[in-house]
Amino acid sequence: MCVQYWQILKDFNNKEIYSAIIPNTMRNILEHFFTFIGKDYKNELNKSNNIKDKAFLRYIDRESHSDSENLSDMKDIDVKNFAECFKQIFTDFRYEEHYNLMMK
């Protein structure tokens, strides 16, 4: 199942998919991967003082039904910026190799 989420991200990078599903896709990948390795990415990002990390967490919670304040149209959000944050999480946790493999 998780491989399908990665495919959605690749399709988005190739401009083959609408950006509204990207936050939920990223959230699902992070939850599956970090649960599998026994780490809590959300807890670590919540500890961060980096405003980009906080903004990214709010972004991936959009449309996940976990934060009703975030349910909105996302056409004014720069998804590419958050895609960089998504990759940075894997780098920060020293799993950039996994990210690169999955995005091939």
Side-chain angles (χ1 to χ4, degrees):
M1 179 78 164
C2 201
V3 173
Q4 294 166 332
Y5 290 127
W6 285 100
Q7 186 60 51
I8 290 169
L9 289 184
K10 289 191 277 189
D11 291 346
F12 173 73
N13 286 340
N14 294 327
K15 301 185 185 334
E16 298 173 13
I17 204 157
Y18 184 62
S19 64
I21 66 170
I22 298 305
N24 201 39
T25 299
M26 289 179 175
R27 183 182 55 78
N28 276 297
I29 289 171
L30 291 172
E31 286 176 357
H32 283 95
F33 181 75
F34 285 94
T35 298
F36 179 76
I37 64 169
K39 293 189 178 182
D40 183 355
Y41 77 93
K42 236 179 193 181
N43 187 40
E44 293 303 313
L45 288 180
N46 276 325
K47 290 180 194 175
S48 172
N49 290 325
N50 185 339
I51 199 77
K52 260 180 126 175
D53 290 343
K54 304 261 187 231
F56 179 72
L57 279 176
R58 288 187 57 80
Y59 170 74
I60 63 173
D61 280 340
R62 285 184 189 276
E63 298 184 17
S64 68
H65 306 290
S66 65
D67 185 354
S68 61
E69 291 178 24
N70 276 336
L71 295 174
S72 67
D73 186 8
M74 298 177 8
K75 59 186 156 195
D76 59 341
I77 292 176
D78 181 8
V79 177
K80 296 283 185 194
N81 181 41
F82 289 113
E84 292 172 18
C85 291
F86 176 77
K87 181 180 180 180
Q88 189 62 45
I89 291 172
F90 285 91
T91 301
D92 291 348
F93 281 91
R94 296 189 173 103
Y95 290 102
E96 187 173 13
E97 186 176 327
H98 177 75
Y99 173 88
N100 292 333
L101 176 69
M102 297 307 288
M103 290 301 287
K104 255 189 193 178

